[in-house]
Amino acid sequence: MAQAWRCAGLSWTAGGPVLIWDGGRRSALTWGKTVAFGVAEGGARTCVGARGNICPHSAQVSARSTGPRCEECARLDRAHSVAADTLADDPRPYRVYLAWFGPGMTKVGITGARRGPARLLEQGAVCFSWLGTGPLMAARRTEELLRAALRVPDRIPYAAKRAARAALPATGVERAAEIAALHERALALTGWPESLDPEPFRPVDHVEAYALAQAPAPVGVVGELVAGGAVSGELVAAAGPDLHLATDRGVLVLDTRLLPGWELLPAVGRRVEVPVRALKERASAQDGLF
């Protein structure tokens, strides 16, 4: 019987997307590479545990969930995290950013300065610009300032990000226009923390890094993995956690957050033997009430 592997998720590096496996093995993903795996027969998706600890209940997790942990392990994993505001004494520098995912979809966020743009690539940001650098709590206060004064959200639903990629403006200047205007308004605000150093507007565009311009538009999305199923196709693009695979059903989007918790086996070919749903299009803006 072939050796089973367990995926720990997708990471972005300077060289592109990388799949990480339990035990530390990494698989670099390049355009044109075949991504193929089967799901072990008779198995179920189980909780991956938290912070290096196995799940004490070996709990089953929904195959459709993008979170691979049970409720108990999810709480433990979130504890002592930046997102949960439990690391107020972290002495490392943080950066505030403005990220754009599509027309009308801009958010503010923070990331560790040591990570560079990795956090933006992982979120699927189409373009972004740094706004300032400073201690964690100063970065957090700046994030709150933009939310309160300019009504800039700090979260955008992932399904909306994915749908927006289907109709992006053609040029980098167009894609950066919204964050350019917002960056200017943000720097003009009063109440900035003194310990946060503002940064000039320098847009970074990820369309080329994601290979979105050259790839055929996807026609569907893998809805879930199932025991005994398989996914196989040629990698033509990637954005955030999504891999765009050319398969026997056309180009499909595989959200790699569905992989952790399953036992995966080698596979061949271009077949897809798991549930697939149609890719939802982003609703267009309504011109009037009637």
Side-chain angles (χ1 to χ4, degrees):
M1 181 177 176
Q3 179 181 358
W5 296 86
R6 285 186 172 267
C7 183
L10 184 76
S11 179
W12 279 86
T13 69
V18 176
L19 278 175
I20 302 174
W21 305 93
D22 285 2
R25 181 182 173 184
R26 300 164 71 88
S27 300
L29 301 176
T30 54
W31 313 133
K33 182 172 183 174
T34 296
V35 176
F37 60 87
V39 185
E41 292 274 5
R45 191 184 190 196
T46 56
C47 174
V48 299
R51 300 188 173 274
N53 301 302
I54 63 172
C55 176
H57 311 293
S58 298
Q60 290 195 16
V61 180
S62 169
R64 297 183 181 182
S65 173
T66 55
R69 296 179 174 87
C70 67
E71 290 186 10
E72 182 177 329
C73 289
R75 285 195 297 269
L76 176 60
D77 187 67
R78 188 174 172 80
H80 307 294
S81 70
V82 172
D85 279 337
T86 56
L87 288 177
D89 58 347
D90 189 339
R92 296 170 295 185
Y94 282 79
R95 302 182 88 172
V96 186
Y97 62 80
L98 294 173
W100 184 87
F101 300 89
M105 297 171 59
T106 300
K107 63 159 281 189
V108 62
I110 67 174
T111 184
R114 69 195 183 282
R115 297 205 66 205
R119 176 65 178 149
L120 285 303
L121 289 161
E122 291 167 358
Q123 291 184 65
V126 175
C127 66
F128 79 95
S129 177
W130 301 120
L131 189 60
T133 303
L136 173 59
M137 295 314 294
R140 186 63 83 197
R141 286 196 297 273
T142 305
E143 186 183 42
E144 292 285 351
L145 176 64
L146 264 67
R147 286 210 301 262
L150 301 181
R151 298 185 182 277
V152 185
D154 64 344
R155 285 182 175 82
I156 293 176
Y158 191 76
K161 299 179 189 178
R162 179 184 290 143
R165 291 187 209 124
L168 295 174
T171 69
V173 173
E174 292 174 288
R175 294 190 290 268
E178 288 186 42
I179 55 173
L182 188 57
H183 191 283
E184 183 177 2
R185 293 176 63 198
L187 291 186
L189 291 173
T190 58
W192 271 60
E194 293 183 1
S195 55
L196 192 96
D197 297 325
E199 297 192 37
F201 179 66
R202 293 195 181 99
V204 178
D205 194 280
H206 287 154
V207 165
E208 183 176 346
Y210 293 153
L212 292 174
Q214 301 83 10
V219 297
V221 180
V222 172
E224 61 183 294
L225 301 186
V226 294
V231 175
S232 185
E234 178 184 313
L235 183 67
V236 295
D242 287 348
L243 302 182
H244 294 210
L245 304 176
T247 74
D248 59 353
R249 301 194 193 183
V251 175
L252 300 179
V253 175
L254 170 65
D255 188 334
T256 54
R257 294 175 298 177
L258 298 176
L259 273 58
W262 289 102
E263 288 194 341
L264 305 178
L265 305 168
V268 295
R270 291 163 65 96
R271 73 190 193 282
V272 175
E273 298 171 349
V274 294
V276 173
R277 66 177 186 269
L279 182 65
K280 292 184 179 179
E281 295 183 1
R282 188 185 181 197
S284 57
Q286 185 172 330
D287 295 330
L289 183 58
F290 301 105

